[in-house]
Amino acid sequence: RFVYSWLSRAAAVLRAAAMKFTQKRQTFDIVDGVTFAIKSRAVKVTGPRGSLELSFKHMPIDIFFEEGSDERKVVVEKWFTGGKATASIRTCVSHMENAMTGVTKGFEYKMRFVYSHFPINVSITNGAKRVEIRNFLGEKVIRVVDALKDTTVKRSEDVKDEIVLSGNDIDAVSRTCALIQNICAVKNKDIRKFLDGIYVSAKSTVVKD
């Protein structure tokens, strides 16, 4: 009888700990100069630098304007959630906040060329949308990376062996940097010794504060 009562109490405690929240929500203010259009978990963010479209149709959440806020405050809401699933609310908010930064200030990533013997030769073609990498580790092959979406690439004006990538979409800019870095991966050598490559050296916004 004692063991049974102890087990029943333990089960009750576990049920209470695992109980889901009926509702969790997070709100954020829309910055000045930016407008949101929300329809069926598809969000369009428009600002001085252009517009970005985000889709959250794969996420079981609700997105709407807070009542009485004159469409200047957005609510992200999730019902019957608990544990790690609640993190999707903050993820959704972060994407929309990054979009607001993108359409107002833009994103700028800088990448430096690292080499010990063979100088890396980079040329930017196709209207600042394509990066061609030559002479990496002395190889004859030409490595080509096309910038994603609205991302543009240019040479740094004041620093040698540096390129600057900029755009409104942080996903596109950062993924373009990843493509450039990964295409210069050193194969079949000790990467502790062979550090050649093109790496991100700085992250900032196009419009400086």
Side-chain angles (χ1 to χ4, degrees):
R1 184 181 299 173
F2 172 76
V3 173
Y4 175 77
S5 62
W6 181 85
L7 287 174
S8 63
R9 283 200 301 269
V13 170
L14 289 173
R15 281 198 300 272
M19 187 181 300
K20 290 187 174 182
F21 295 104
T22 306
Q23 180 206 60
K24 295 283 279 186
R25 60 158 50 189
Q26 191 168 342
T27 62
F28 66 93
D29 295 319
I30 300 174
V31 299
D32 294 335
V34 176
T35 58
F36 270 57
I38 303 172
K39 183 178 180 181
S40 303
R41 287 180 289 182
V43 181
K44 184 176 182 179
V45 185
T46 306
R49 292 178 54 87
S51 61
L52 291 172
E53 294 184 1
L54 308 173
S55 176
F56 300 103
K57 292 181 181 292
H58 61 290
M59 299 174 71
I61 55 175
D62 294 328
I63 308 172
F64 54 91
F65 294 111
E66 188 171 72
E67 191 173 346
S69 67
D70 197 24
E71 296 191 353
R72 300 307 299 171
K73 185 171 286 191
V74 178
V75 179
V76 180
E77 191 175 79
K78 188 176 174 72
W79 289 82
F80 304 110
T81 182
K84 292 181 180 179
T86 312
S88 61
I89 299 173
R90 176 61 191 166
T91 299
C92 179
V93 171
S94 295
H95 280 301
M96 288 188 280
E97 288 177 343
N98 284 335
M100 283 195 297
T101 305
V103 298
T104 53
K105 298 180 180 180
F107 293 98
E108 182 181 86
Y109 282 40
K110 295 181 179 180
M111 302 190 78
R112 294 291 298 270
F113 311 158
V114 177
Y115 54 85
S116 58
H117 181 71
F118 296 103
I120 299 174
N121 182 15
V122 173
S123 57
I124 299 167
T125 60
N126 197 21
K129 296 291 291 182
R130 175 173 290 177
V131 179
E132 296 179 356
I133 304 164
R134 292 177 172 84
N135 201 40
F136 177 70
L137 291 179
E139 297 175 2
K140 298 296 184 185
V141 65
I142 301 174
R143 292 166 165 81
V144 178
V145 175
D146 289 314
L148 303 174
K149 296 184 180 179
D150 67 335
T151 306
T152 58
V153 189
K154 66 177 183 180
R155 281 273 188 178
S156 179
E157 297 175 355
D158 54 347
V159 179
K160 181 177 177 288
D161 293 336
E162 183 179 73
I163 55 175
V164 180
L165 295 88
S166 58
N168 295 343
D169 190 344
I170 189 173
D171 291 335
V173 176
S174 57
R175 282 172 56 205
T176 303
C177 291
L179 290 172
I180 293 173
Q181 179 175 332
N182 288 341
I183 207 169
C184 292
V186 178
K187 307 289 187 182
N188 304 320
K189 290 182 176 66
D190 186 354
I191 58 173
R192 297 172 297 179
K193 176 70 175 177
F194 293 85
L195 301 173
D196 295 39
I198 303 177
Y199 304 100
V200 174
S201 60
K203 302 176 183 179
S204 63
T205 54
V206 177
V207 179
K208 302 296 189 285
D209 293 326

